[in-house]
Amino acid sequence: MSYTSINYLLYVAVCLLLYGIFPKNKRWWVLLLASMGFYAIVCLKYIGFIIMTAATTYGGGLWLESYIEKKDAYLKSQKGKWSKEEKSAFKDKVTIGKKRICASVLVLNFGVLAFLKYFNFFADTINSITGRTSVPNLGLFLPLGISFYTFQSMGYIIDIYRKKYKAERNYLKYLLFVSFFPQIVQGPIAFYSDLAHQLYEGERIRFENIKQGVLLITWGFFKKLVIADRLVGAVQTVPNDCDSFSGTAVLLTALIYAVQLYADFSGGIDISRGVAQLFGINMAENFKRPYFAKDISDYWHRWHITLGAWLREYLFYPVAMSKPFQKMGKALKAKFGMKISKVLPVSLASLITFLVVGIWHGANWKYVAFGVWNGGIIMVSTLLESNFENWKKKLHIENTNKPFIAFQLFRTFLIVLVGYYFDIAPDFSTAMHMMFMSVTDLHLGELLSKDFLTSITLSRADLIVVLAAMAVMLIVSLKQEHSQTTLREQICKKNFVFQSLIFIVLFYAVVIFGSYGPGSNPADFYYMQF
């Protein structure tokens, strides 16, 4: 039951009807049954994994909170009786105990994720090194959305460790937070403090939410069906047999992938957020026009925002503020001065974070290279930031200078495009070979050949439709980039005739130009595999 199927839309409609019929304090039951029902339909064989993750983090949260409260109460009872040293020693023991409980939950759940996701990769690597089948390939498959619900639930347990909120007492309510069906396929990843209360309170059905939700869903369909799915064939054809094509075809494939991936992922997120909004639930934005980024750090603050927020909160900051990194900063300060002592530890923490991002994307050395490439660029950029500012001053370049802004956008996109080669290639060596071909075997005259598009399974009609749709997407993005409110909010404030016209045009654009039905090449959402 794909998010772009009629069956899914009917499923959502039935759930919304039941949601409106049930009393306000019982509506979370509808969402829970809808979520578990959706998971059972799509991935019944692996439903035990999501139930286990919810159970272990639910129990771990209660255990951790009980431990903290008991120790805090005991500490208060000893007020005025203990010396400063005794109190400090007790607190240290409590911290160790908290860490052990939290770590046991994290290791268990991340361990399951790592085993399912990476065992075959390590088995294949060891077997290739030894030259024989030392470790059997178990043929493991990933449960739907395991990375997303694991990250979301692990954030919950870490926040309880940090005493940000009380542990949820109702297991079924917590299971809803972990399994909420609009986001289970590919996110966005939510923080418990942002999403849980919306799920449990039972928002009444509002016409305004229906309008905005339907508009966002339709916009997501437009990006997915009109753009992304029309380009799937071109993205899959060249990388699988790149030596049969020229560097021109390889470079064009990378450029097509940049469009296809964005339309696929952001379109899917729009559908997820739109469905949630039908129920009055506002989910976090996951994209903010990433190809308008002026540097690679800005790009990663605009692309897959919720994953970036999770990694900053639970990985980057803990690593950067850890005792080893603080000691490193002090040692660097004594030898190299204040600047290096501040910049280098942060840069290394950033590199570690992006290495995790790469590994998270998949069990393949090409994804490790993807993480190192992005983390390395950010690391170098951070180290040389002051130098760049000095060069700009010497050259009298202002940040508002339009040619300079255009240069920044082009430079950032080029850096991002290099990373995309690791995505589309089947392995690391092929990715490097494709990059080499893109530079050394470039013949732009091929683009004028009648057979060129056909060779990469892209027809002229498809190209015209995609270019027109991209123009629409660009106009919407430009409009949104300079607005404080979302475009759909602005549309919904207009008169009814204007609202209806926008929706009808968008709807028929999807119906007429969408890639679906017999002869089409539909594809699952790219991030479902994670």
Side-chain angles (χ1 to χ4, degrees), residues 28 57-59 61-62 65 156 160 165-175 177 192 196-197 200:
W28 68 270
T57 46
Y58 168 77
L62 291 175
E65 183 180 85
Y156 165 83
I160 291 178
Y165 42 71
K166 294 287 187 181
E168 174 58 51
R169 261 56 185 171
N170 187 320
Y171 170 70
L172 294 179
K173 283 187 174 182
Y174 179 71
L175 179 60
F177 165 72
Y192 182 82
H197 66 92
Y200 306 155

Side-chain angles (χ1 to χ4, degrees), residues 226-258:
V226 179
I227 301 176
D229 282 0
R230 281 187 178 273
L231 298 174
V232 169
V235 172
Q236 293 176 344
T237 300
V238 176
N240 291 329
D241 189 19
C242 62
D243 285 328
S244 298
F245 297 88
S246 66
T248 311
V250 172
L251 177 59
L252 182 60
T253 299
L255 292 169
I256 288 173
Y257 177 72

Side-chain angles (χ1 to χ4, degrees), residues 215 218 491 496-507:
L215 195 58
T218 311
I491 291 172
F496 181 75
V497 174
F498 181 82
Q499 294 176 32
S500 301
L501 181 62
I502 292 293
F503 174 74
I504 290 171
V505 169
L506 193 57
F507 174 78

Side-chain angles (χ1 to χ4, degrees), residues 180-196:
F180 185 44
F181 76 95
Q183 66 170 146
I184 195 65
V185 170
Q186 58 178 1
I189 300 170
F191 292 100
Y192 182 82
S193 55
D194 295 334
L195 179 60

Side-chain angles (χ1 to χ4, degrees), residues 12-31 202-206 210 278-280:
V12 170
V14 171
C15 293
L16 188 63
L17 178 63
L18 293 173
Y19 189 81
I21 292 174
F22 270 60
K24 185 177 179 180
N25 65 338
K26 302 294 183 183
R27 285 176 179 168
W28 68 270
W29 275 100
V30 176
L31 296 180
E203 178 67 38
R204 69 184 181 88
I205 303 296
R206 298 175 185 269
I210 298 291
L278 297 177
F279 297 92

Side-chain angles (χ1 to χ4, degrees), residues 284-529:
E285 191 172 3
N286 216 33
F287 291 91
K288 287 186 178 178
R289 287 80 54 198
Y291 295 145
F292 289 170
K294 296 177 182 177
D295 56 58
I296 193 66
S297 293
D298 185 25
Y299 169 82
W300 282 107
H301 282 93
R302 292 167 173 262
W303 179 277
H304 207 343
I305 298 169
T306 56
L307 175 63
W310 194 98
L311 289 168
R312 281 194 301 275
E313 182 70 21
Y314 303 119
L315 179 61
F316 173 76
Y317 290 133
V319 169
M321 300 301 293
S322 64
K323 289 182 180 179
F325 272 67
Q326 289 179 352
K327 289 180 180 179
M328 181 198 305
K330 290 179 181 179
L332 290 170
K333 182 179 179 181
K335 290 186 176 181
F336 302 104
M338 181 66 74
K339 178 184 173 182
I340 296 296
S341 70
K342 284 186 175 181
V343 173
L344 188 56
V346 172
S347 300
L348 287 174
S350 180
L351 180 60
I352 292 170
T353 301
F354 275 95
L355 185 59
V356 171
V357 169
I359 294 170
W360 176 82
H361 273 79
N364 195 306
W365 288 112
K366 66 174 186 171
Y367 290 121
V368 175
F370 173 84
V372 171
W373 168 253
N374 284 278
I377 290 292
I378 290 179
M379 182 177 178
V380 172
S381 300
T382 305
L383 290 170
L384 298 179
E385 185 176 5
S386 60
N387 300 82
F388 291 148
E389 292 299 321
N390 290 334
W391 294 339
K392 282 165 55 180
K393 286 180 181 179
K394 289 179 180 178
L395 295 172
H396 305 290
I397 298 174
E398 299 292 335
N399 288 330
T400 54
N401 182 281
K402 290 185 178 179
F404 180 65
I405 292 173
F407 164 74
Q408 287 179 303
L409 295 178
F410 176 75
R411 174 198 61 189
T412 304
F413 181 75
L414 193 61
I415 292 170
V416 170
L417 191 66
V418 171
Y420 284 161
Y421 278 84
F422 296 114
D423 265 0
I424 60 178
D427 51 55
F428 174 75
S429 60
T430 305
M432 300 304 293
H433 180 55
M434 289 173 65
M435 288 182 212
F436 182 74
M437 289 178 64
S438 297
V439 177
T440 61
D441 190 31
L442 199 59
H443 310 285
L444 297 180
E446 290 181 331
L447 297 172
L448 302 176
S449 171
K450 291 182 179 180
D451 299 326
F452 182 76
L453 290 177
T454 306
S455 70
I456 61 172
T457 66
L458 186 65
S459 69
R460 287 185 179 273
D462 284 337
L463 181 62
I464 291 170
V465 169
V466 168
L467 288 175
M470 285 173 60
V472 172
M473 194 163 61
L474 178 61
I475 292 169
V476 170
S477 298
L478 287 168
K479 177 75 173 175
Q480 189 66 70
E481 183 72 5
H482 303 289
S483 177
Q484 297 299 317
T485 58
T486 64
L487 198 57
R488 69 183 185 281
E489 288 176 325
Q490 296 174 40
I491 291 172
C492 290
K493 288 180 181 178
K494 304 292 184 180
N495 60 64
F496 181 75
V497 174
F498 181 82
Q499 294 176 32
S500 301
L501 181 62
I502 292 293
F503 174 74
I504 290 171
V505 169
L506 193 57
F507 174 78
Y508 277 103
V510 174
V511 172
I512 296 170
F513 300 110
S515 178
Y516 58 89
S520 66
N521 187 23
D524 289 333
F525 287 99
Y526 182 75
Y527 270 73
M528 280 184 68
Q529 63 182 302

Side-chain angles (χ1 to χ4, degrees), residues 50-176:
I50 193 170
I51 292 174
M52 184 208 73
T53 295
T56 54
T57 46
Y58 168 77
L62 291 175
W63 180 20
L64 184 56
E65 183 180 85
S66 175
Y67 177 83
I68 293 170
E69 288 179 347
K70 286 179 180 178
K71 297 303 180 183
D72 286 348
Y74 185 72
L75 184 62
K76 282 184 180 180
S77 70
Q78 301 303 312
K79 189 175 182 179
K81 301 178 182 178
W82 282 354
S83 66
K84 187 176 180 180
E85 290 76 16
E86 289 175 319
K87 186 185 293 186
S88 178
F90 180 78
K91 287 182 177 179
D92 289 341
K93 287 183 180 180
V94 172
T95 300
I96 292 171
K98 285 168 52 182
K99 286 181 177 179
R100 285 175 177 171
I101 297 172
C102 186
S104 64
V105 179
L106 295 177
V107 169
L108 173 62
N109 286 279
F110 278 132
V112 170
L113 173 61
F115 176 75
L116 293 175
K117 197 167 187 176
Y118 304 110
F119 179 84
N120 289 342
F121 167 67
F122 286 117
D124 292 341
T125 301
I126 293 171
N127 292 338
S128 65
I129 292 172
T130 60
R132 53 194 177 88
T133 308
S134 304
V135 182
N137 188 310
L138 300 181
L140 300 170
F141 291 93
L142 287 178
L144 179 69
I146 185 170
S147 289
F148 295 100
Y149 69 69
T150 300
F151 273 45
Q152 189 159 299
S153 54
M154 294 307 99
Y156 165 83
I157 200 74
I158 294 171
D159 282 346
I160 291 178
Y161 169 84
R162 294 173 175 177
K163 297 171 40 173
K164 283 191 173 183
Y165 42 71
K166 294 287 187 181
E168 174 58 51
R169 261 56 185 171
N170 187 320
Y171 170 70
L172 294 179
K173 283 187 174 182
Y174 179 71
L175 179 60
L176 169 59

